[in-house]
Amino acid sequence: MHRKRTVRTLSIAETDCGTCPSGGRCWGELRVPIENVRGRRAAVLERGELLLRQGESTGTVYLVVNGCLILRENLANGTQRVAGLGMPGDLVGLEGYAHGRHAYTAQAATEVSVCRLNVAAPGSGQSSAALLERLLLKYAMQLERTAAPWSGLPALERVAAFIENYASRAQVRRATEGLFSLPLTRADIGSYLGLAPETVVRALGQLSEEGRLSVRGRTVRLSEAVEPASASPAA
Amino acid sequence: MHRKRTVRTLSIAETDCGTCPSGGRCWGELRVPIENVRGRRAAVLERGELLLRQGESTGTVYLVVNGCLILRENLANGTQRVAGLGMPGDLVGLEGYAHGRHAYTAQAATEVSVCRLNVAAPGSGQSSAALLERLLLKYAMQLERTAAPWSGLPALERVAAFIENYASRAQVRRATEGLFSLPLTRADIGSYLGLAPETVVRALGQLSEEGRLSVRGRTVRLSEAVEPASASPAA
DNA sequence: CGGCCACTTGAAAACCTTCAACCTATGTGG
DNA sequence: CCACATAGGTTGAAGGTTTTCAAGTGGCCG
């Protein structure tokens, strides 16, 4: 194909959401009038162009005005998946803002116009309130976690990912040496992961057999961090 | 069972995150010191207690300090699913804040302690910046959408839900009478939904046959809102 | 002790993926 | 203007995984 990989230095103009032709529609059905929010309106991206790339370290946050962005994520095992869409009104680039590094590549699926938002860099304390930054950061992290990384995976991996994820969010490890108690029933886990309870049972059993963890009832012990799995040059 | 459905009026005390025993750990690995954030520390919820209920219309936002909350969602068809977990550092109750109505019921899976945050009601413009509110609202909506509603569904329903979701986010309907162009390949849709491209093809075909929509290539027309499917007394 | 709930296990059925072939539209070069 | 190349789309059949159904175990509490 001949997809243009350029991120043109888009023609940019100061805009005030109050006077923007979209009439604040991008901000959704809010009950509050748009007044003080200002953005930099960037011109249209053509189909195939990239707005940002995974790994890039810009803190720019964009608001999608029109069109559709595909958010593609390169997985550690070399495969790729579509992690989400950027639709009118969505904010894109928050992981870059929160972590200084974009979690996915955003490619225009149609013609897309975006606004670059004027958000102070995290930690600078310059923006209207320090609280704002803080909540933004929180949210970005939460969002990222919610975008379930176990979407297309087989049941075994889904359960494994869930356990790992739970352990990390529960801040296990340091304190308890990987031994902890899972406060969910098999049915709850299944409901969360989109699996039948029986499948959760069998997956846990198999993970036990494989030595990736040990389970007895709701007590789980994680095996040593067997997590690298990254820069392997396999196909 | 004998689960206590009470939300006790918890013993509440003003706290400053800077002097809290958790030492700001709830806020995660942030690069900025916690100074101005204040919360109201609520006492511990016992296992089984509810922090908030789906449909309730309070605008309270909580920060989980310790423990694990299960977020349960009652679906329109009468079934229930686990929509997520509330773990230490997570914000809970933002849908209530954003829409004035909680999207799920939060039940304590372990002993849980939370802080009630002092966030001004949306629209009041009282908080440190109007921008703050706005970003919060945006985020809450985005979060909610990201928590893919098609998690455990069969392929057919997943594709149907995706199309509906796309159409609504693309703000179709009004303008185009349900006729629009899907800017994704079958492979992209599959990758997003965790399905094989062939499965997407077949699902679209079947949805067409069933009259729920019509597809030709990337052109889609939604049928009349055939969405009620709610209060049917079927088993 | 009996009941309930969570958990476990096995076998059959349903579903989805994979593999392979073929079709269609679009754009390129002759 | 046509032939060809390519990416996307479609269809069929085989195989694997997950769900469903059914039965049985174990622990906790009244």
Side-chain angles (χ1 to χ4, degrees), chain A residues 102-114:
Chain A
H102 291 302
Y104 41 72
T105 297
Q107 183 182 29
T110 64
E111 280 200 348
V112 171
S113 39
V114 294

Side-chain angles (χ1 to χ4, degrees), chain B residues 70-82:
Chain B
I70 302 188
L71 311 180
R72 295 182 198 279
E73 186 184 7
N74 279 87
L75 271 30
N77 63 16
T79 61
Q80 220 187 41
R81 70 154 195 154
V82 174

